[in-house]
Amino acid sequence: MNEEAVTTGWDAIEEQMKKLYGAQEPKHYGTVIPYMLGGKDPLDGLSAYKAEKPFPHWHIVTFGFSELYEKESEDADYSGYGFELTFRVARGENEEEPPMWALNLLQNMGRYVFNSGNIFASGDYMDANGPICLGADTQLTALAFMEDPELPPMHTPHGRVEFLQMIGITEDELEAMKTWSTLGVLEASQAALPGYITDLSRDSLLQIPAVAEAIQRGIERDGSNTGFLFVDQLAWELGKNRLFSKTPAVLALGAKQAGTIGKLLRGRLLKGKDLNLACQGLSVVLKPGTETGYEAEENEVRLKLDEAAINEISQKLQPKEEEIRLTSYKGLIIRVVRTDIKDQDGNVVSTIG
């Protein structure tokens, strides 16, 4: 950084970390070429602190989602995107440098936010579609976000900044968060996941009976907080009128998300809540009703389902390629299509369905 530069936002983050770690000098990783000048890393810096409780780990904080230097956005209430990320990663006994995969992952989160404009908030989750550490033998394939329990929100001259802790989670933990709530699952797992520290070697928390039971009770009691689900494979075909009959409409879904949608139908519609499925250019709103039927416009379908249809669909939707004809609603066919999982280079690495 230029010594003449105003570093108001940067200084505010460092002051918050000093409250936790005193005079400890963190391991700091800066960006050589700024992102706006063609550099590959969107975040201006990452600092990693050694923490000892509840067990040794790195506490990494980002610099760059908020406004570090001067106020540029028109939003007076929030600084930049309004948050910085933290990441607590298990630390080995003789480890003197934070793992590079963790630093790279945080920069990837920066690329995602800067390129898409989508921001993170407490209670969000994100499927990584593979190990969060590329090439590692780990069950952690997704991420969850919550307020860092040791870093309260701060108010800077540029606006409010929250510290969101990123947590590595397994595929079935992600499924539980979708069908209940992210914060509910994390709270139920608190004793089994002290400090919400990411450890690549850990097993799924749902293998612990007390955790699995608490999550199931929460699902049955509350239903799901997931009212909106982005679906990679989603299509709608209108039914066609023939001389003496009408062909059913067809809702096409990818196999990867079919099972999740089946669970969400129960957790949303049977609790009287809508479920919005969306992909590029199409929104399908599933609504509870006393009878079945649909209204279709160019980019939106509103599909009403009664209790019998909801139960039948939720039971039959599985992550496998098939065509589901319903006994409870003759006017609808659900077509589950194969999902190809691709790596960053576009190569198919696995297939679901």
Side-chain angles (χ1 to χ4, degrees):
M1 292 181 295
N2 189 323
E3 290 183 0
E4 301 297 323
V6 176
T7 57
T8 306
W10 189 294
D11 296 342
I13 297 169
E14 288 192 332
E15 282 301 312
Q16 286 292 88
M17 301 309 291
K18 282 180 183 177
K19 292 176 184 178
L20 280 182
Y21 298 107
Q24 181 186 149
E25 192 70 27
K27 297 287 184 180
H28 184 73
Y29 302 83
T31 300
V32 178
I33 303 174
Y35 196 59
M36 66 181 66
L37 297 180
K40 65 176 184 176
D41 295 328
L43 303 176
D44 284 18
L46 299 160
S47 284
Y49 294 80
K50 281 186 175 181
E52 304 300 331
K53 295 180 179 180
F55 60 83
H57 65 277
W58 295 102
H59 191 184
I60 309 171
V61 63
T62 64
F63 293 77
F65 289 106
S66 62
E67 289 164 307
L68 303 175
Y69 313 113
E70 297 177 349
K71 182 66 181 174
E72 297 179 2
S73 72
E74 297 180 359
D75 189 342
D77 295 330
Y78 288 92
S79 173
Y81 290 110
F83 68 90
E84 293 289 350
L85 290 179
T86 70
F87 196 25
R88 297 174 188 266
V89 183
R91 173 166 54 87
E93 185 178 352
N94 299 315
E95 200 171 276
E96 293 300 324
E97 298 284 342
M100 192 55 63
W101 69 263
L103 305 178
N104 290 336
L105 181 58
L106 287 165
Q107 286 288 5
N108 283 336
M109 293 299 103
R111 292 183 190 94
Y112 169 77
V113 172
F114 280 51
N115 292 335
S116 70
N118 298 330
I119 62 174
F120 297 115
S122 180
D124 285 350
Y125 50 72
M126 184 179 194
D127 191 346
N129 289 319
I132 62 172
C133 173
L134 291 177
D137 182 16
T138 180
Q139 294 184 41
L140 305 185
T141 58
L143 299 162
F145 301 84
M146 65 177 290
E147 291 183 8
D148 190 305
E150 291 190 313
L151 290 171
M154 65 180 186
H155 295 274
T156 77
H158 300 156
R160 177 183 169 94
V161 179
E162 299 174 355
F163 291 92
L164 295 178
Q165 183 172 336
M166 188 170 75
I167 304 155
I169 57 173
T170 65
E171 185 177 2
D172 58 352
E173 291 162 5
L174 173 64
E175 186 86 357
M177 290 176 181
K178 290 178 180 178
T179 50
W180 183 24
S181 82
T182 301
L183 299 182
V185 171
L186 290 174
E187 184 176 348
S189 308
Q190 188 172 14
L193 193 62
Y196 300 108
I197 296 167
T198 295
D199 183 346
L200 293 176
S201 66
R202 77 169 177 85
D203 293 328
S204 168
L205 298 169
L206 273 73
Q207 293 185 17
I208 303 170
V211 174
E213 290 167 9
I215 290 172
Q216 188 58 40
R217 286 197 302 271
I219 292 171
E220 292 172 358
R221 181 185 66 242
D222 305 328
S224 173
N225 280 353
T226 303
F228 179 93
L229 189 68
F230 186 84
V231 182
D232 294 326
Q233 297 164 283
L234 180 67
W236 177 265
E237 296 175 17
L238 282 172
K240 296 178 181 179
N241 289 310
R242 292 180 175 173
L243 186 58
F244 297 109
S245 64
K246 183 177 180 178
T247 61
V250 178
L251 175 63
L253 303 167
K256 183 178 189 296
Q257 292 175 303
T260 299
I261 292 168
K263 293 177 182 177
L264 287 177
L265 284 173
R266 298 184 62 81
R268 295 291 299 179
L269 274 65
L270 290 184
K271 296 290 184 180
K273 306 173 186 176
D274 294 353
L275 174 62
N276 190 339
L277 308 179
C279 72
Q280 197 72 31
L282 177 64
S283 172
V284 178
V285 183
L286 303 168
K287 307 171 75 71
T290 54
E291 56 185 30
T292 54
Y294 66 83
E295 298 174 355
E297 298 175 4
E298 184 177 356
N299 297 317
E300 182 178 277
V301 177
R302 292 176 295 279
L303 177 59
K304 280 189 177 181
L305 300 171
D306 62 17
E307 187 172 346
I310 295 167
N311 284 319
E312 184 178 5
I313 295 170
S314 64
Q315 289 169 7
K316 290 184 175 179
L317 265 183
Q318 299 295 328
K320 62 180 181 179
E321 190 173 30
E322 64 176 333
E323 189 167 275
I324 301 171
R325 292 181 178 268
L326 305 170
T327 58
S328 56
Y329 184 18
K330 303 292 188 182
L332 179 68
I333 292 173
I334 298 179
R335 184 177 296 144
V336 181
V337 299
R338 188 179 68 185
T339 299
D340 291 327
I341 306 298
K342 299 179 180 179
D343 61 18
Q344 293 179 329
D345 298 322
N347 301 312
V348 177
V349 294
S350 64
T351 298
I352 300 173

